[in-house]
């Protein structure tokens, strides 16, 4: 059975009478397709066969900043090859922040990808397949999205939840779909950067798209790409191919999209203007080309050169924004406006649009993440410059969160130790000099809601806490719980004592005479008084009052009969919290030596060696590799691990040799796995 038959056939069987009539009337297929197929299924299968070799599943690892840390996360999306030399189109929200990426074809061939360029305003990214030798890839061809009509059949293709591509059938439902909007829905800028998709009116369709479909092509029954799927909000939404083509061409040629900027924000006209057409200019950015030319907030824009402007609904705003972004930057453009019922023609010379992305970084020594300011942030804060470093998140319990007074997310660092801080570069240099001087307590001046904050911060990278060493203690190889007053009443016993809940498989004189369920009432003829759960410590205190290797008599009750059993005390095994630990900041996880309790709890063989994974911090490289708390690392790169010291040496050797791909052999439960660690 064909790969897609299961998906398409139910639809066909349900609607086959309608499809048959439509085929006879010639409404399903354009007349230039030639001979009509007997069934629409044949055309669908041919279209799928044509495009399937060009589809890829895209795997991305990206960095983001939260909780005072640089975090890593995996993302999966879809894409389509658009040239024989391996250019791939997908969404900006899939790959626009890729730290590294790769793609997989339906034949399971995998290739690394490099990001050529990305455009947040249209949510389009272009990547290039990296190959050792030149290859000719099967690729898809863009169609004309302006010719798409409501009711046209389309296929949504991609790789949601799977390696193999999937396809769903639907129709174009809307040619200019937008999301439910807020007043700022179509602003091009935000304090975080550019607003994703703010220049797009989507092709709405009802072909099912799922998580992982983003970036996949929307395909006509001619086999042409008419859109790139981006969203699902009741209907699916695809970025029209004519918009995609322009963006892709610019990115391939220039590494970015060249746009013009006038500094205008528009909205639909309102009733109070009492004019038939135009667009209300709701904001003019200070010092922008429009501002310098004399255009003002409240003017009605009615024409740009010979292009009439008419915005009655929010759905029309992206179309006008695209006109504004396409104006030439080397000559004045005539803007016709109405102000106070008077028509004015104002020449405006657009400038090249440039909104640099702000760099962000983790500062472990400070326990926060921070970034440079952009001009939009400064404008919103009524600042006349972008000097300073913005704290974007703090690590809980970190030195900045513990400062006096504590620093906060959103604070703007202006000075450290009387030295001005204008950028991340300044902060990095100052931090390094403070560490070299071994100066820990430093004065930080920050701005918070127009207020100056003076804070003392004790900086320095986090330090491992060494386990507290304790002297060896005597021990009986059992686990017990308190015989509570209620339990004693149920068993018709005098209250006070402990119930044996577990007997460890060790060699200890007299231990083999004990059984789970025995009730220990006395040691050396001295009764226990514990009768509440919180009295558990009496057990430890009584046992530890004797000496290692000392023989003692334990009085137990078994089946209402008192027995006295001689037990020779042994040295207590080292508990989990006392063994050697190592916290690795590179992979962001903590491991420790195996201990006696690990071996018995996990049924490990006596000769099992390795280290126990005690903690895996989310968003780190170890977490990204799917390492989990409770795993036992047995080897690195096929080199067996003896203990923490051995593990630390081997891992540091790998790091010092700049090896970014290596393999842990781990044991998880009774199973063994090989975990690939990738660090970029």
């Amino acid at each position: 059975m064909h790969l897609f038959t299961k998906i398409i056939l139910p639809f066909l069987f349900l609607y086959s009478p309608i499809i048959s009539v439509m085929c006879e009337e010639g409404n399903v297929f354009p007349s230039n397709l030639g001979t009509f197929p007997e069934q629409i299924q044949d055309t669908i299968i041919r279209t799928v066969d044509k495009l399937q070799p060009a589809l890829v599943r895209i795997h991305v690892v990206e960095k983001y900043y939260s909780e005072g840390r640089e975090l890593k996360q995996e993302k999966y999306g879809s894409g389509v090859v658009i040239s024989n030399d391996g250019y791939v189109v997908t969404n900006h929200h899939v790959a626009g922040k890729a730290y590294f990426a790769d793609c997989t074809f339906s034949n399971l061939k995998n290739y690394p990808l490099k990001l050529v360029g990305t455009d947040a305003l249209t949510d389009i990214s272009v990547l290039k397949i990296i190959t050792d030798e030149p290859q000719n890839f099967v690729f898809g061809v863009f169609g004309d999205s302006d010719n798409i009509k409501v009711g046209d059949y389309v296929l949504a293709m991609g790789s949601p939840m799977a390696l193999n591509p999937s396809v769903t059938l639907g129709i174009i439902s809307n040619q200019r779909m937008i999301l439910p909007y807020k007043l700022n829905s179509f602003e091009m800028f935000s304090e975080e950067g550019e607003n994703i998709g703010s220049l797009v009116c989507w092709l709405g369709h009802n072909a099912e798209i799922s998580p992982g479909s983003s970036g996949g092509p929307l395909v006509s029954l001619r086999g042409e790409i008419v859109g790139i799927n981006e969203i699902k909000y009741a209907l699916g939404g695809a970025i029209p191919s004519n918009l995609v083509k322009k963006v892709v061409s610019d990115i391939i040629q220039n590494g970015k999209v060249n746009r013009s900027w006038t500094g205008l924000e528009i909205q639909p006209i309102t009733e109070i203007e009492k004019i038939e057409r135009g667009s209300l200019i709701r904001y003019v950015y200070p010092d922008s080309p429009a501002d310098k030319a004399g255009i003002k907030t409240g003017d009605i824009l009615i024409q740009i050169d010979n292009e009439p402007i008419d915005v009655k609904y929010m759905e029309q705003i992206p179309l006008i924004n695209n006109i504004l972004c396409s104006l030439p930057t080397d000559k004045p453009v005539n803007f016709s406006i109405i102000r106070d019922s008077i028509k004015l023609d104002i020449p405006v010379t657009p400038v090249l649009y440039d909104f640099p992305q702000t760099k962000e970084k983790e500062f472990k020594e400070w326990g926060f993440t921070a970034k440079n300011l952009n001009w939009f942030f400064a404008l919103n804060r009524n600042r006349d410059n972008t000097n300073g470093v913005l704290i974007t998140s703090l690590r809980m319990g970190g030195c900045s969160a513990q400062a006096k007074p504590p620093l906060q997310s959103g604070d703007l660092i202006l000075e450290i130790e009387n030295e001005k801080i204008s950028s991340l570069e300044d902060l990095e240099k100052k931090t390094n000099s403070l560490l070299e001087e071994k100066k820990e307590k430093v004065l930080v001046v920050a701005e918070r809601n127009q207020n100056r904050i003076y804070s003392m911060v004790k900086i320095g990278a986090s330090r491992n806490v060494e386990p507290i060493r304790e002297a060896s203690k005597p021990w009986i190889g059992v686990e017990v719980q308190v015989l509570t007053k209620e339990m004693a009443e149920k068993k018709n016993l005098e209250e006070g004592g402990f119930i044996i809940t577990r007997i460890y498989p060790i060699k200890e004189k007299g231990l083999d005479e004990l059984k789970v369920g025995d009730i220990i009432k006395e040691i050396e003829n001295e009764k226990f008084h514990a009768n509440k759960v919180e009295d558990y410590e009496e057990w430890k205190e009584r046992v530890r009052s004797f000496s290692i290797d000392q023989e003692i008599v334990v009085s137990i009750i078994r089946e209402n009969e008192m027995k006295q059993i001689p037990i020779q005390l042994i040295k207590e095994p080292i508990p989990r919290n006392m063994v050697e630990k190592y916290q690795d900041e590179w992979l962001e996880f903590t491991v420790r030596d195996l201990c006696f309790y690990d071996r018995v709890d996990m049924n490990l063989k006596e000769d099992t060696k390795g280290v126990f994974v005690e903690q895996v911090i989310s968003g780190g490289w170890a977490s990204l590799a799917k390492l989990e708390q409770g795993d036992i690392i047995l080897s690195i790169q096929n080199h067996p691990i003896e203990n923490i010291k051995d593990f630390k040496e081997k891992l540091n050797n790998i790091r010092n040799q700049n090896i970014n791909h290596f393999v842990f052999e781990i044991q998880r439960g009774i199973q063994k796995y090989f975990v690939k660690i990738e660090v970029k």
Side-chain angles (χ1 to χ4, degrees), residues 217-313:
L218 186 70
V219 182
S220 71
L221 294 188
R222 299 182 183 188
E224 296 174 334
I225 301 168
V226 294
I228 296 296
N229 285 312
E230 180 186 8
I231 61 166
K232 180 178 181 181
Y233 196 90
L235 293 174
I239 306 162
S241 58
N242 287 357
L243 179 58
V244 176
K245 281 187 285 188
K246 170 66 168 63
V247 170
V248 168
S249 175
D250 280 358
I251 289 176
I252 291 176
Q253 291 179 29
N254 308 309
K256 64 177 184 178
V257 180
N258 288 325
R259 291 193 175 94
S260 55
W261 185 61
T262 57
L264 295 181
E265 295 284 2
I266 63 172
Q267 72 173 61
I269 54 175
T270 62
E271 293 181 359
I272 61 173
E273 275 76 46
K274 296 181 180 179
I275 62 172
E276 294 184 359
R277 65 179 182 85
S279 174
L280 177 62
I281 296 175
R282 62 174 181 79
Y283 185 68
V284 181
Y285 286 98
D287 296 323
S288 66
D291 181 44
K292 292 175 181 178
I295 294 180
K296 298 179 180 179
T297 297
D299 290 345
I300 305 298
L301 178 63
I302 59 173
Q303 189 168 302
I304 300 176
D305 271 354
N306 297 319
E307 184 80 34
I309 302 299
D310 189 15
V311 179
K312 291 184 173 64
Y313 304 98

Side-chain angles (χ1 to χ4, degrees), residues 8 111 243 288 299 479 525:
I8 302 301
Y111 298 92
L243 179 58
S288 66
D299 290 345
E479 294 287 349
N525 296 319

Side-chain angles (χ1 to χ4, degrees), residues 437-571:
E437 297 168 13
K438 297 183 179 179
K439 194 168 187 178
E440 293 186 343
K441 290 186 178 180
V442 299
L443 175 64
V444 175
V445 179
E447 182 178 289
R448 182 187 304 163
N449 299 327
Q450 308 299 322
N451 293 327
R452 285 287 176 113
I453 306 295
Y454 296 84
S455 178
M456 293 301 298
V457 185
K458 185 177 180 180
I459 68 166
S462 58
R463 298 172 175 85
N464 292 341
V465 177
E466 294 295 327
I468 300 172
R469 304 300 178 192
E470 294 183 356
S472 298
K473 296 179 176 63
W475 185 65
I476 299 175
V478 297
E479 294 287 349
V480 299
Q481 72 177 59
V482 174
L483 176 70
T484 63
K485 183 178 180 179
E486 293 78 11
M487 290 180 187
E489 289 175 354
K490 282 284 184 183
K491 293 179 176 291
N492 295 318
L493 296 173
E494 181 184 356
E495 65 184 64
F498 293 87
I499 304 173
I500 296 177
T501 59
R502 179 179 187 176
I503 300 175
Y504 287 106
I506 57 174
K507 294 179 180 179
E508 183 179 4
K509 182 180 177 181
L511 195 66
D512 57 348
E513 296 187 42
L514 296 177
K515 291 183 178 180
V516 172
D518 287 349
I519 298 171
I520 301 175
K521 299 292 290 182
E522 301 173 356
I523 290 181
E524 290 290 291
N525 296 319
E526 186 178 344
K527 291 183 178 181
F528 283 109
H529 302 289
N531 62 6
K532 300 187 293 293
V533 173
E534 54 266 31
D535 295 336
Y536 176 79
E537 287 301 314
E538 186 185 3
W539 169 259
K540 288 185 177 181
E541 291 171 1
R542 184 74 62 81
V543 172
R544 290 174 179 176
S545 67
F546 300 100
S547 303
I548 297 171
D549 294 331
Q550 182 178 347
E551 188 173 293
I552 61 174
V553 176
V554 176
S555 300
I556 67 165
I557 293 178
R558 183 187 300 160
E559 297 176 354
N560 296 319
E561 183 180 339
M562 179 75 79
K563 292 179 179 289
Q564 291 188 324
I565 299 174
I567 301 284
Q568 186 172 18
L569 298 177
I570 62 174
K571 183 168 66 175

Side-chain angles (χ1 to χ4, degrees), residues 92-360:
H92 167 82
H93 76 260
V94 171
K97 297 181 180 179
Y99 189 52
F100 61 90
D102 59 78
C103 67
T104 305
F105 285 85
S106 59
N107 61 8
L108 303 188
K109 286 188 177 180
N110 180 269
Y111 298 92
L113 294 167
K114 71 174 181 179
L115 182 64
V116 179
T118 191
D119 184 54
L121 296 178
T122 55
D123 200 16
I124 289 294
S125 285
V126 178
L127 305 105
K128 182 74 162 54
I129 297 174
I130 302 172
T131 58
D132 294 331
E133 298 177 356
Q135 293 193 35
N136 287 319
F137 292 97
V138 177
F139 61 93
V141 176
F142 287 111
D144 186 349
S145 54
D146 289 344
N147 288 335
I148 295 295
K149 298 179 178 61
V150 172
D152 283 351
Y153 279 94
V154 285
L155 303 175
M157 303 181 73
S159 298
M161 314 286 190
L163 279 173
N164 287 333
S166 302
V167 61
T168 52
L169 175 67
I171 61 170
I172 294 293
S173 308
N174 190 313
Q175 293 169 300
R176 292 183 181 178
M177 187 182 85
I178 64 169
L179 292 179
Y181 53 80
K182 301 177 293 185
L183 285 176
N184 62 345
S185 291
F186 298 104
E187 286 183 7
M188 294 173 65
F189 315 121
S190 72
E191 291 185 1
E192 289 72 39
E194 297 170 304
N195 282 334
I196 294 177
S198 57
L199 294 183
V200 179
C201 276
W202 292 281
L203 292 175
H205 62 85
N206 67 348
E208 181 64 28
I209 56 176
S210 305
S213 296
S214 290
L218 186 70
V219 182
S220 71
L221 294 188
R222 299 182 183 188
E224 296 174 334
I225 301 168
V226 294
I228 296 296
N229 285 312
E230 180 186 8
I231 61 166
K232 180 178 181 181
Y233 196 90
L235 293 174
I239 306 162
S241 58
N242 287 357
L243 179 58
V244 176
K245 281 187 285 188
K246 170 66 168 63
V247 170
V248 168
S249 175
D250 280 358
I251 289 176
I252 291 176
Q253 291 179 29
N254 308 309
K256 64 177 184 178
V257 180
N258 288 325
R259 291 193 175 94
S260 55
W261 185 61
T262 57
L264 295 181
E265 295 284 2
I266 63 172
Q267 72 173 61
I269 54 175
T270 62
E271 293 181 359
I272 61 173
E273 275 76 46
K274 296 181 180 179
I275 62 172
E276 294 184 359
R277 65 179 182 85
S279 174
L280 177 62
I281 296 175
R282 62 174 181 79
Y283 185 68
V284 181
Y285 286 98
D287 296 323
S288 66
D291 181 44
K292 292 175 181 178
I295 294 180
K296 298 179 180 179
T297 297
D299 290 345
I300 305 298
L301 178 63
I302 59 173
Q303 189 168 302
I304 300 176
D305 271 354
N306 297 319
E307 184 80 34
I309 302 299
D310 189 15
V311 179
K312 291 184 173 64
Y313 304 98
M314 294 292 284
E315 288 86 342
Q316 295 171 287
I317 293 177
L319 306 176
I320 306 304
N321 282 342
N322 273 290
I323 293 174
L324 290 168
C325 289
S326 301
L327 298 174
T329 58
D330 56 351
K331 63 178 182 179
V333 177
N334 186 63
F335 278 58
S336 297
I337 66 166
I338 294 177
R339 181 186 300 164
D340 298 329
S341 301
I342 300 172
K343 181 177 178 295
L344 301 173
D345 291 324
I346 300 177
V348 178
T349 303
V351 296
L352 192 64
Y353 169 82
D354 184 22
F355 192 87
Q357 298 303 309
T358 52
K359 181 182 177 183
E360 194 165 359

